[in-house]
Amino acid sequence: MRDLLPEEAEHMRLIEMEAREVARLYGYREVITPLIEHYELLAAKIGEENRKRMYVFEDLGGRRVALRPEFTASIARLVSTKMVAEPKPIRLFSVGSLYRYDEPQFGRYREFWQANYELIGSSRPEADAEILSISNDLLRKTGLKDYYFKIGHVGVLRGILSEEGVKEAEQNRIMQLLDKKMQDEALNILKKQASERCLETLRRLFKVSGREWSRVIKEMNASVEGYEEASSAVENLEAILNLVSDAKMDLNVRVEAGFARGLEYYTGMIFEVYVPGMDIALGGGGRYDRLIELFGGGPTPASGVALGIDRIMLAVKGRRPGWTPTWEGLRVLVLPVNEEVKGKAMELSSRLREKGVAVEVEVMGRKVSRALSDASRRRITHVVIIGPKELREGKVVLRDMKNKEQRTVTVDEVADMLEGLQSGSSRISL
Ligand code: AMP
């Protein structure tokens, strides 16, 4: 787990702010769920790999609890208990830290942050397309351009395995292997329990992928012929991609028939987002139509996405080295030249803050010249120098740090000038 120093924390919060704005634009309302939940709830469908990596402990009440490794289980619990009567669709947004005992390396941490969007109550392709659109909008807002969506459909592989009578636990094991791209190992397990036709179909499917999605869909269709559930899964994927294309979302997609994800609750379209040169996903999501029912909420289809704030930050930094997350606009220092006017400096600082201006007051007792050189090092834009002589006439000195010009103005004028500059400046930039 890491300490995030001010610049990193600012970067993270900027991305979080964009994520919040996307939630607002799409009508997703924020919910805040606890960091700790019952182990069984979090472990139920997280998948073997992530289950092993959970931080699990017993609390003083003897309950077996864990730090959340993802948001979806908590959201499904919430919907199936406290929001059952809520009219559908329900659109929920969450943001916060998650915990997994991963091997720390570039972009892989034991504490990381996600922006999470869940669209609950619709089984239609529109819902899946909306989730893709949200992911696209957030990434575009951060300035990234070259990202692409790897897309598949769990229903294709699970459909084939179900028709072959492969039990769910076995299916989960196979999905875990496919998630790690261990296709030969997955086929080896199946050799004992599935038909030659099934193995042949899977071998064929594993080779089907590409960016021209209509060709890939055709090949998938041809490969799964005779497997009814798998065929309707391909149809569903095609409907989603058609909608993405009709809506002119301009998504860069790569469809992979053999793509699987480690989380066990997926039932439909699944996806991950990548940027070239980074082999870890910036985000991932998909459709999970049975999780809410599993938690006692009645049959409730749902689709969602989790975007990794830490990884988006790494991708943006890598592509935009000059990206400075400074809060643009004014940063004012109020500088009393001696002890006598310290109180006045604090009083004027408060008055400026009331007008929305960011003001730091000199607290180190520095002489004017040292305070000024320190101010330019810290990107202060304006300094208000308070001296007893000027103050007797109700005046102060306002210094513009950029062009190094200064003028003597009245206290009322300085407040008006800084307020005017403040309202004219944009507050933030990415
Ligand atoms: P998942 O819940 O595994 O689908 O993860 C969704 C997203 O969370 C990933 O695409 C990453 O952006 C982020 N993520 C998952 N695990 C980590 C980690 N150990 N460190 C940083 N980000 C992570």
Side-chain angles (χ1 to χ4, degrees):
M1 297 184 194
R2 300 152 295 158
D3 294 312
L4 297 174
L5 296 177
E7 190 175 309
E8 256 178 321
E10 259 181 55
H11 271 126
M12 294 275 284
R13 293 300 182 206
L14 269 177
I15 293 167
E16 182 183 318
M17 255 177 46
E18 293 295 359
R20 261 178 219 291
E21 174 61 3
V22 170
R24 187 187 72 79
L25 290 171
Y26 280 80
Y28 284 63
R29 298 181 66 199
E30 184 170 0
V31 284
I32 301 173
T33 56
L35 199 69
I36 295 172
E37 298 256 13
H38 282 289
Y39 168 78
E40 278 70 26
L41 176 111
L42 295 171
K45 285 284 172 190
I46 184 91
E48 186 51 31
E49 199 61 34
N50 286 331
R51 197 175 298 130
K52 282 193 307 215
R53 298 178 188 277
M54 280 165 65
Y55 284 86
V56 188
F57 57 100
E58 196 178 286
D59 73 4
L60 286 182
R63 301 174 197 89
R64 196 165 181 229
V65 292
L67 300 184
R68 62 185 179 199
E70 57 138 15
F71 279 115
T72 308
S74 302
I75 302 296
R77 171 188 59 71
L78 187 74
V79 171
S80 64
T81 52
K82 299 182 178 144
M83 298 182 88
V84 247
E86 199 86 1
K88 307 289 186 300
I90 306 175
R91 291 183 164 96
L92 298 177
F93 169 70
S94 310
V95 64
S97 55
L98 293 311
Y99 301 85
R100 296 181 192 172
Y101 199 82
D102 273 330
E103 273 320 304
Q105 51 194 284
F106 177 78
R108 200 175 289 284
Y109 312 109
R110 291 184 177 158
E111 180 183 48
F112 57 95
W113 274 259
Q114 283 181 351
N116 188 82
Y117 304 80
E118 311 284 357
L119 174 43
I120 293 141
S122 169
S123 59
R124 301 169 67 91
E126 295 89 298
D128 301 290
E130 175 168 311
I131 292 297
L132 291 170
S133 177
I134 286 175
S135 315
N136 189 34
D137 282 7
L138 176 53
L139 292 165
R140 211 180 35 213
K141 268 179 185 292
T142 64
L144 292 176
K145 290 191 178 78
D146 52 353
Y147 56 90
Y148 66 92
F149 287 74
K150 179 162 122 183
I151 301 187
H153 198 297
V154 174
V156 178
L157 300 173
R158 286 205 188 255
I160 295 170
L161 298 177
S162 298
E163 277 184 53
E164 290 283 327
V166 179
K167 297 261 172 342
E168 196 180 326
E170 274 304 270
Q171 289 187 21
N172 292 343
R173 230 175 110 200
I174 288 159
M175 293 296 170
Q176 292 285 332
L177 290 170
L178 294 181
D179 183 32
K180 289 194 262 174
K181 302 193 176 61
M182 297 165 77
Q183 298 174 338
D184 291 339
E185 288 80 351
L187 290 170
N188 276 340
I189 294 183
L190 281 170
K191 272 188 186 135
K192 292 175 215 108
Q193 44 189 315
S195 66
E196 188 47 44
R197 173 174 159 246
C198 167
L199 294 172
E200 200 37 56
T201 306
L202 291 178
R203 276 190 210 106
R204 225 176 126 183
L205 273 178
F206 293 163
K207 292 196 199 104
V208 179
S209 69
R211 290 182 182 264
E212 330 78 72
W213 63 265
S214 38
R215 172 192 59 83
V216 178
I217 292 284
K218 267 198 202 95
E219 285 179 27
M220 284 172 81
N221 252 325
S223 310
V224 301
E225 212 188 320
Y227 286 104
E228 214 172 292
E229 263 183 60
S231 296
S232 54
V234 177
E235 221 171 87
N236 176 243
L237 184 57
E238 184 176 18
I240 295 164
L241 292 169
N242 260 326
L243 198 52
V244 164
S245 153
D246 286 353
K248 303 207 168 39
M249 262 181 224
D250 204 19
L251 276 200
N252 197 352
V253 301
R254 179 187 167 81
V255 178
E256 282 189 22
F259 170 41
R261 304 203 67 219
L263 303 166
E264 277 166 16
Y265 47 66
Y266 290 118
T267 55
M269 186 268 293
I270 50 169
F271 68 96
E272 278 173 353
V273 195
Y274 288 90
V275 283
M278 238 169 110
D279 63 352
I280 43 177
L282 300 188
R287 171 164 290 284
Y288 54 100
D289 283 349
R290 286 195 286 273
L291 190 63
I292 296 168
E293 189 176 8
L294 182 81
F295 293 161
T300 313
S303 196
V305 59
L307 291 142
I309 295 178
D310 315 65
R311 289 190 189 169
I312 294 176
M313 179 172 90
L314 286 174
V316 175
K317 271 190 181 169
R319 277 156 179 74
R320 302 169 65 186
W323 185 40
T324 45
T326 47
W327 292 81
E328 267 186 16
L330 294 190
R331 289 189 63 192
V332 175
L333 173 72
V334 173
L335 174 59
V337 305
N338 65 18
E339 297 287 314
E340 192 188 322
V341 290
K342 275 193 313 195
K344 191 72 195 172
M346 293 192 89
E347 183 195 338
L348 178 60
S349 303
S350 297
R351 183 169 163 193
L352 292 172
R353 287 189 198 108
E354 274 167 28
K355 291 179 179 290
V357 179
V359 180
E360 294 169 35
V361 68
E362 169 60 38
V363 291
M364 303 296 284
R366 287 182 177 127
K367 295 269 180 296
V368 173
S369 62
R370 279 206 52 206
L372 287 179
S373 60
D374 180 64
S376 54
R377 193 173 59 80
R378 291 188 301 119
R379 301 198 303 258
I380 293 285
T381 58
H382 295 79
V383 179
V384 179
I385 304 164
I386 303 188
K389 201 166 100 248
E390 290 84 3
L391 201 58
R392 274 193 285 276
E393 293 163 28
K395 290 185 174 167
V396 292
V397 173
L398 175 63
R399 183 179 173 90
D400 183 327
M401 294 301 284
K402 205 158 153 207
N403 56 25
K404 302 201 164 44
E405 281 170 11
Q406 60 184 52
R407 15 191 313 215
T408 305
V409 291
T410 67
V411 171
D412 286 343
E413 275 168 347
V414 87
D416 288 346
M417 283 164 76
L418 289 173
E419 187 185 16
L421 282 171
Q422 167 70 24
S423 58
S425 60
S426 70
R427 276 173 58 76
I428 61 152
S429 74
L430 256 179

CSV table of all heavy atoms in Angstrom, one decimal, residues 109-152:
chain,number,residue,atom,x,y,z
A,109,TYR,N,-1.4,-2.8,-7.1
A,109,TYR,CA,-1.1,-2.4,-5.7
A,109,TYR,C,-2.1,-3.2,-4.8
A,109,TYR,O,-3.0,-3.8,-5.3
A,109,TYR,CB,-1.4,-0.9,-5.6
A,109,TYR,CG,-0.7,0.0,-6.6
A,109,TYR,CD1,-1.5,0.6,-7.6
A,109,TYR,CD2,0.6,0.1,-6.6
A,109,TYR,CE1,-0.9,1.4,-8.6
A,109,TYR,CE2,1.3,0.9,-7.6
A,109,TYR,CZ,0.5,1.5,-8.6
A,109,TYR,OH,1.1,2.2,-9.6
A,110,ARG,N,-1.8,-3.1,-3.5
A,110,ARG,CA,-2.6,-3.8,-2.6
A,110,ARG,C,-3.8,-3.0,-2.1
A,110,ARG,O,-4.8,-3.5,-1.6
A,110,ARG,CB,-1.8,-4.3,-1.4
A,110,ARG,CG,-0.8,-5.4,-1.9
A,110,ARG,CD,0.0,-6.1,-0.9
A,110,ARG,NE,0.8,-7.1,-1.5
A,110,ARG,CZ,1.9,-7.6,-1.0
A,110,ARG,NH1,2.3,-7.2,0.1
A,110,ARG,NH2,2.5,-8.6,-1.7
A,111,GLU,N,-3.6,-1.7,-2.3
A,111,GLU,CA,-4.7,-0.7,-2.1
A,111,GLU,C,-4.8,0.1,-3.4
A,111,GLU,O,-3.9,0.7,-3.8
A,111,GLU,CB,-4.5,0.2,-0.9
A,111,GLU,CG,-5.6,1.2,-0.6
A,111,GLU,CD,-5.3,2.1,0.5
A,111,GLU,OE1,-4.2,2.7,0.5
A,111,GLU,OE2,-6.1,2.3,1.4
A,112,PHE,N,-6.0,0.1,-4.0
A,112,PHE,CA,-6.2,0.8,-5.2
A,112,PHE,C,-7.6,1.4,-5.3
A,112,PHE,O,-8.4,1.1,-4.4
A,112,PHE,CB,-5.9,0.0,-6.5
A,112,PHE,CG,-6.8,-1.3,-6.5
A,112,PHE,CD1,-7.9,-1.3,-7.3
A,112,PHE,CD2,-6.4,-2.4,-5.8
A,112,PHE,CE1,-8.8,-2.4,-7.3
A,112,PHE,CE2,-7.2,-3.5,-5.9
A,112,PHE,CZ,-8.4,-3.5,-6.6
A,113,TRP,N,-7.8,2.3,-6.2
A,113,TRP,CA,-9.1,3.0,-6.3
A,113,TRP,C,-9.8,2.7,-7.6
A,113,TRP,O,-9.2,2.6,-8.6
A,113,TRP,CB,-8.8,4.5,-6.2
A,113,TRP,CG,-8.7,5.0,-4.8
A,113,TRP,CD1,-9.7,5.7,-4.1
A,113,TRP,CD2,-7.6,4.9,-3.9
A,113,TRP,NE1,-9.2,5.9,-2.8
A,113,TRP,CE2,-8.0,5.5,-2.7
A,113,TRP,CE3,-6.3,4.3,-4.0
A,113,TRP,CZ2,-7.1,5.6,-1.6
A,113,TRP,CZ3,-5.5,4.4,-2.9
A,113,TRP,CH2,-5.9,5.0,-1.7
A,114,GLN,N,-11.1,2.6,-7.4
A,114,GLN,CA,-12.0,2.4,-8.6
A,114,GLN,C,-13.1,3.4,-8.6
A,114,GLN,O,-13.6,3.8,-7.6
A,114,GLN,CB,-12.6,1.0,-8.6
A,114,GLN,CG,-11.7,-0.1,-9.0
A,114,GLN,CD,-12.5,-1.4,-8.9
A,114,GLN,OE1,-13.6,-1.5,-8.5
A,114,GLN,NE2,-11.8,-2.5,-9.4
A,115,ALA,N,-13.6,3.8,-9.9
A,115,ALA,CA,-14.8,4.4,-10.1
A,115,ALA,C,-15.7,3.3,-10.7
A,115,ALA,O,-15.4,2.7,-11.6
A,115,ALA,CB,-14.7,5.6,-11.1
A,116,ASN,N,-16.9,3.1,-10.0
A,116,ASN,CA,-17.7,2.0,-10.3
A,116,ASN,C,-19.1,2.4,-10.7
A,116,ASN,O,-19.7,3.2,-10.0
A,116,ASN,CB,-17.7,1.1,-9.1
A,116,ASN,CG,-18.3,-0.2,-9.3
A,116,ASN,OD1,-17.7,-1.2,-9.8
A,116,ASN,ND2,-19.6,-0.4,-8.9
A,117,TYR,N,-19.6,1.9,-11.8
A,117,TYR,CA,-21.0,2.2,-12.3
A,117,TYR,C,-21.8,1.0,-12.4
A,117,TYR,O,-21.3,0.0,-13.1
A,117,TYR,CB,-20.9,3.0,-13.6
A,117,TYR,CG,-20.0,4.2,-13.6
A,117,TYR,CD1,-18.6,4.1,-13.7
A,117,TYR,CD2,-20.5,5.5,-13.5
A,117,TYR,CE1,-17.8,5.2,-13.7
A,117,TYR,CE2,-19.7,6.6,-13.6
A,117,TYR,CZ,-18.4,6.5,-13.7
A,117,TYR,OH,-17.6,7.6,-13.7
A,118,GLU,N,-23.0,0.9,-11.9
A,118,GLU,CA,-23.8,-0.3,-12.0
A,118,GLU,C,-25.2,0.2,-12.5
A,118,GLU,O,-25.8,1.1,-12.0
A,118,GLU,CB,-24.0,-1.0,-10.7
A,118,GLU,CG,-22.7,-1.3,-9.9
A,118,GLU,CD,-21.9,-2.4,-10.4
A,118,GLU,OE1,-22.3,-3.1,-11.4
A,118,GLU,OE2,-20.8,-2.7,-9.9
A,119,LEU,N,-25.7,-0.5,-13.6
A,119,LEU,CA,-27.0,-0.2,-14.1
A,119,LEU,C,-27.8,-1.5,-13.9
A,119,LEU,O,-27.6,-2.5,-14.5
A,119,LEU,CB,-26.8,0.1,-15.6
A,119,LEU,CG,-28.1,0.3,-16.5
A,119,LEU,CD1,-29.1,1.1,-15.8
A,119,LEU,CD2,-27.7,0.9,-17.8
A,120,ILE,N,-28.8,-1.3,-13.0
A,120,ILE,CA,-29.6,-2.5,-12.5
A,120,ILE,C,-31.0,-2.5,-13.0
A,120,ILE,O,-31.7,-1.5,-12.9
A,120,ILE,CB,-29.5,-2.5,-11.0
A,120,ILE,CG1,-28.0,-2.7,-10.5
A,120,ILE,CG2,-30.4,-3.6,-10.3
A,120,ILE,CD1,-27.6,-2.0,-9.4
A,121,GLY,N,-31.4,-3.7,-13.5
A,121,GLY,CA,-32.9,-3.8,-13.8
A,121,GLY,C,-33.1,-4.0,-15.3
A,121,GLY,O,-34.3,-4.3,-15.7
A,122,SER,N,-32.1,-3.9,-16.2
A,122,SER,CA,-32.4,-4.0,-17.6
A,122,SER,C,-31.5,-5.1,-18.1
A,122,SER,O,-30.3,-5.2,-17.9
A,122,SER,CB,-32.1,-2.7,-18.4
A,122,SER,OG,-32.1,-3.0,-19.7
A,123,SER,N,-32.1,-6.0,-18.9
A,123,SER,CA,-31.3,-7.1,-19.6
A,123,SER,C,-31.1,-6.8,-21.0
A,123,SER,O,-30.5,-7.6,-21.8
A,123,SER,CB,-32.1,-8.4,-19.5
A,123,SER,OG,-33.3,-8.3,-20.1
A,124,ARG,N,-31.4,-5.6,-21.4
A,124,ARG,CA,-31.4,-5.2,-22.9
A,124,ARG,C,-30.0,-4.7,-23.3
A,124,ARG,O,-29.2,-4.2,-22.5
A,124,ARG,CB,-32.4,-4.2,-23.2
A,124,ARG,CG,-33.8,-4.6,-22.8
A,124,ARG,CD,-34.8,-3.5,-22.9
A,124,ARG,NE,-35.0,-3.0,-24.2
A,124,ARG,CZ,-35.9,-3.4,-25.1
A,124,ARG,NH1,-36.7,-4.3,-24.7
A,124,ARG,NH2,-35.9,-3.0,-26.3
A,125,PRO,N,-29.7,-4.9,-24.6
A,125,PRO,CA,-28.4,-4.4,-25.1
A,125,PRO,C,-28.2,-2.9,-24.8
A,125,PRO,O,-27.0,-2.5,-24.7
A,125,PRO,CB,-28.5,-4.7,-26.6
A,125,PRO,CG,-29.6,-5.7,-26.8
A,125,PRO,CD,-30.5,-5.5,-25.6
A,126,GLU,N,-29.2,-2.1,-24.7
A,126,GLU,CA,-29.0,-0.7,-24.4
A,126,GLU,C,-28.2,-0.5,-23.2
A,126,GLU,O,-27.4,0.4,-23.0
A,126,GLU,CB,-30.4,0.0,-24.2
A,126,GLU,CG,-31.3,0.1,-25.4
A,126,GLU,CD,-32.2,-1.1,-25.5
A,126,GLU,OE1,-31.7,-2.2,-25.6
A,126,GLU,OE2,-33.5,-0.9,-25.4
A,127,ALA,N,-28.5,-1.3,-22.2
A,127,ALA,CA,-27.9,-1.2,-20.9
A,127,ALA,C,-26.4,-1.5,-21.0
A,127,ALA,O,-25.5,-0.8,-20.5
A,127,ALA,CB,-28.5,-2.1,-19.8
A,128,ASP,N,-26.0,-2.6,-21.7
A,128,ASP,CA,-24.6,-2.9,-21.9
A,128,ASP,C,-23.9,-1.8,-22.7
A,128,ASP,O,-22.8,-1.4,-22.4
A,128,ASP,CB,-24.5,-4.2,-22.6
A,128,ASP,CG,-25.2,-5.4,-21.9
A,128,ASP,OD1,-24.6,-5.7,-20.8
A,128,ASP,OD2,-26.2,-5.8,-22.3
A,129,ALA,N,-24.6,-1.3,-23.7
A,129,ALA,CA,-24.0,-0.2,-24.6
A,129,ALA,C,-23.8,1.0,-23.7
A,129,ALA,O,-22.8,1.7,-23.9
A,129,ALA,CB,-25.0,0.1,-25.7
A,130,GLU,N,-24.7,1.3,-22.8
A,130,GLU,CA,-24.6,2.5,-21.9
A,130,GLU,C,-23.3,2.3,-21.1
A,130,GLU,O,-22.5,3.3,-20.9
A,130,GLU,CB,-25.8,2.7,-21.0
A,130,GLU,CG,-25.6,3.8,-20.0
A,130,GLU,CD,-26.9,4.2,-19.3
A,130,GLU,OE1,-27.9,4.4,-20.0
A,130,GLU,OE2,-26.9,4.3,-18.1
A,131,ILE,N,-23.1,1.1,-20.5
A,131,ILE,CA,-21.9,0.9,-19.7
A,131,ILE,C,-20.6,1.1,-20.5
A,131,ILE,O,-19.6,1.7,-20.1
A,131,ILE,CB,-21.9,-0.5,-19.1
A,131,ILE,CG1,-23.1,-0.6,-18.1
A,131,ILE,CG2,-20.6,-0.9,-18.5
A,131,ILE,CD1,-22.9,0.3,-16.8
A,132,LEU,N,-20.6,0.7,-21.8
A,132,LEU,CA,-19.5,0.9,-22.6
A,132,LEU,C,-19.3,2.4,-22.9
A,132,LEU,O,-18.2,2.9,-22.9
A,132,LEU,CB,-19.6,0.2,-24.0
A,132,LEU,CG,-19.6,-1.4,-23.9
A,132,LEU,CD1,-20.0,-2.0,-25.2
A,132,LEU,CD2,-18.2,-1.8,-23.5
A,133,SER,N,-20.4,3.1,-23.1
A,133,SER,CA,-20.3,4.5,-23.4
A,133,SER,C,-19.8,5.3,-22.2
A,133,SER,O,-19.0,6.2,-22.4
A,133,SER,CB,-21.8,5.0,-23.8
A,133,SER,OG,-21.8,6.3,-24.0
A,134,ILE,N,-20.2,4.9,-21.0
A,134,ILE,CA,-19.7,5.6,-19.8
A,134,ILE,C,-18.2,5.4,-19.7
A,134,ILE,O,-17.4,6.4,-19.5
A,134,ILE,CB,-20.3,4.9,-18.5
A,134,ILE,CG1,-21.8,5.4,-18.4
A,134,ILE,CG2,-19.6,5.2,-17.3
A,134,ILE,CD1,-22.6,4.7,-17.3
A,135,SER,N,-17.7,4.2,-19.9
A,135,SER,CA,-16.3,3.9,-19.8
A,135,SER,C,-15.5,4.8,-20.9
A,135,SER,O,-14.5,5.4,-20.6
A,135,SER,CB,-16.0,2.4,-20.1
A,135,SER,OG,-16.9,1.6,-19.4
A,136,ASN,N,-16.1,4.8,-22.1
A,136,ASN,CA,-15.5,5.6,-23.1
A,136,ASN,C,-15.4,7.1,-22.8
A,136,ASN,O,-14.4,7.7,-22.9
A,136,ASN,CB,-16.3,5.4,-24.4
A,136,ASN,CG,-15.7,6.0,-25.6
A,136,ASN,OD1,-14.4,5.9,-25.8
A,136,ASN,ND2,-16.5,6.5,-26.6
A,137,ASP,N,-16.5,7.6,-22.2
A,137,ASP,CA,-16.5,9.0,-21.9
A,137,ASP,C,-15.5,9.4,-20.8
A,137,ASP,O,-14.9,10.4,-20.9
A,137,ASP,CB,-17.9,9.4,-21.4
A,137,ASP,CG,-18.9,9.6,-22.6
A,137,ASP,OD1,-18.5,9.2,-23.7
A,137,ASP,OD2,-20.0,10.0,-22.4
A,138,LEU,N,-15.4,8.5,-19.8
A,138,LEU,CA,-14.5,8.9,-18.7
A,138,LEU,C,-13.1,8.9,-19.2
A,138,LEU,O,-12.3,9.8,-19.0
A,138,LEU,CB,-14.7,7.9,-17.5
A,138,LEU,CG,-13.6,8.1,-16.4
A,138,LEU,CD1,-13.6,9.5,-15.9
A,138,LEU,CD2,-13.9,7.1,-15.2
A,139,LEU,N,-12.7,7.8,-20.0
A,139,LEU,CA,-11.3,7.8,-20.5
A,139,LEU,C,-11.0,8.9,-21.4
A,139,LEU,O,-10.0,9.5,-21.4
A,139,LEU,CB,-11.1,6.4,-21.2
A,139,LEU,CG,-11.1,5.3,-20.2
A,139,LEU,CD1,-11.3,3.9,-20.9
A,139,LEU,CD2,-9.9,5.3,-19.3
A,140,ARG,N,-12.0,9.3,-22.3
A,140,ARG,CA,-11.8,10.4,-23.2
A,140,ARG,C,-11.6,11.7,-22.4
A,140,ARG,O,-10.8,12.6,-22.7
A,140,ARG,CB,-13.0,10.5,-24.1
A,140,ARG,CG,-12.6,11.1,-25.5
A,140,ARG,CD,-13.7,11.2,-26.4
A,140,ARG,NE,-14.9,11.5,-25.7
A,140,ARG,CZ,-16.1,11.1,-26.0
A,140,ARG,NH1,-16.3,10.3,-27.0
A,140,ARG,NH2,-17.2,11.5,-25.3
A,141,LYS,N,-12.4,11.9,-21.3
A,141,LYS,CA,-12.3,13.1,-20.5
A,141,LYS,C,-10.9,13.3,-19.9
A,141,LYS,O,-10.5,14.4,-19.6
A,141,LYS,CB,-13.3,13.1,-19.4
A,141,LYS,CG,-14.6,13.7,-19.7
A,141,LYS,CD,-15.5,13.6,-18.5
A,141,LYS,CE,-16.9,14.1,-18.9
A,141,LYS,NZ,-16.9,15.6,-19.1
A,142,THR,N,-10.2,12.2,-19.6
A,142,THR,CA,-8.9,12.3,-19.0
A,142,THR,C,-7.8,12.6,-20.1
A,142,THR,O,-6.7,12.7,-19.8
A,142,THR,CB,-8.5,11.0,-18.3
A,142,THR,OG1,-8.3,9.9,-19.3
A,142,THR,CG2,-9.5,10.5,-17.3
A,143,GLY,N,-8.2,12.7,-21.3
A,143,GLY,CA,-7.3,13.0,-22.4
A,143,GLY,C,-6.6,11.8,-23.1
A,143,GLY,O,-5.8,12.0,-24.0
A,144,LEU,N,-7.0,10.6,-22.7
A,144,LEU,CA,-6.4,9.4,-23.3
A,144,LEU,C,-7.1,9.3,-24.7
A,144,LEU,O,-8.3,9.6,-24.9
A,144,LEU,CB,-6.7,8.2,-22.5
A,144,LEU,CG,-5.9,8.1,-21.2
A,144,LEU,CD1,-6.3,6.9,-20.4
A,144,LEU,CD2,-4.4,8.1,-21.5
A,145,LYS,N,-6.4,8.8,-25.7
A,145,LYS,CA,-7.0,8.6,-27.0
A,145,LYS,C,-6.8,7.2,-27.6
A,145,LYS,O,-7.7,6.8,-28.3
A,145,LYS,CB,-6.3,9.6,-28.0
A,145,LYS,CG,-6.6,11.1,-27.7
A,145,LYS,CD,-6.1,11.9,-28.9
A,145,LYS,CE,-6.5,13.4,-28.6
A,145,LYS,NZ,-5.6,14.0,-27.6
A,146,ASP,N,-5.7,6.6,-27.2
A,146,ASP,CA,-5.4,5.3,-27.9
A,146,ASP,C,-5.9,4.1,-27.2
A,146,ASP,O,-5.4,3.0,-27.5
A,146,ASP,CB,-3.9,5.3,-28.1
A,146,ASP,CG,-3.1,5.5,-26.8
A,146,ASP,OD1,-3.7,5.8,-25.8
A,146,ASP,OD2,-1.9,5.3,-26.8
A,147,TYR,N,-6.8,4.2,-26.3
A,147,TYR,CA,-7.3,3.0,-25.6
A,147,TYR,C,-8.2,2.2,-26.5
A,147,TYR,O,-8.8,2.7,-27.4
A,147,TYR,CB,-8.0,3.4,-24.3
A,147,TYR,CG,-9.1,4.4,-24.5
A,147,TYR,CD1,-10.4,3.9,-24.7
A,147,TYR,CD2,-8.9,5.8,-24.5
A,147,TYR,CE1,-11.5,4.8,-24.9
A,147,TYR,CE2,-9.9,6.7,-24.7
A,147,TYR,CZ,-11.2,6.2,-24.9
A,147,TYR,OH,-12.2,7.1,-25.1
A,148,TYR,N,-8.3,0.9,-26.2
A,148,TYR,CA,-9.3,0.1,-26.9
A,148,TYR,C,-10.0,-0.9,-26.0
A,148,TYR,O,-9.5,-1.2,-24.9
A,148,TYR,CB,-8.6,-0.7,-28.0
A,148,TYR,CG,-7.6,-1.7,-27.5
A,148,TYR,CD1,-7.9,-3.0,-27.3
A,148,TYR,CD2,-6.2,-1.3,-27.3
A,148,TYR,CE1,-7.0,-4.0,-26.9
A,148,TYR,CE2,-5.3,-2.3,-26.9
A,148,TYR,CZ,-5.7,-3.6,-26.7
A,148,TYR,OH,-4.8,-4.5,-26.2
A,149,PHE,N,-11.1,-1.3,-26.4
A,149,PHE,CA,-12.0,-2.2,-25.6
A,149,PHE,C,-11.8,-3.7,-26.1
A,149,PHE,O,-12.1,-3.9,-27.3
A,149,PHE,CB,-13.5,-1.9,-25.7
A,149,PHE,CG,-13.8,-0.6,-25.0
A,149,PHE,CD1,-13.4,0.6,-25.5
A,149,PHE,CD2,-14.6,-0.6,-23.8
A,149,PHE,CE1,-13.8,1.8,-24.8
A,149,PHE,CE2,-14.9,0.5,-23.1
A,149,PHE,CZ,-14.5,1.7,-23.6
A,150,LYS,N,-11.4,-4.5,-25.2
A,150,LYS,CA,-11.4,-6.0,-25.5
A,150,LYS,C,-12.7,-6.5,-25.1
A,150,LYS,O,-13.1,-6.4,-23.9
A,150,LYS,CB,-10.2,-6.6,-24.8
A,150,LYS,CG,-10.1,-8.1,-25.0
A,150,LYS,CD,-8.7,-8.5,-24.5
A,150,LYS,CE,-8.8,-9.6,-23.5
A,150,LYS,NZ,-7.5,-10.0,-23.0
A,151,ILE,N,-13.5,-7.1,-26.0
A,151,ILE,CA,-14.9,-7.5,-25.7
A,151,ILE,C,-15.1,-9.0,-26.0
A,151,ILE,O,-14.6,-9.5,-27.0
A,151,ILE,CB,-15.9,-6.6,-26.5
A,151,ILE,CG1,-15.7,-5.1,-26.2
A,151,ILE,CG2,-17.3,-7.0,-26.2
A,151,ILE,CD1,-16.7,-4.2,-26.7
A,152,GLY,N,-15.9,-9.6,-25.1
A,152,GLY,CA,-16.3,-11.0,-25.3
A,152,GLY,C,-17.6,-11.2,-24.7
A,152,GLY,O,-18.3,-10.3,-24.4
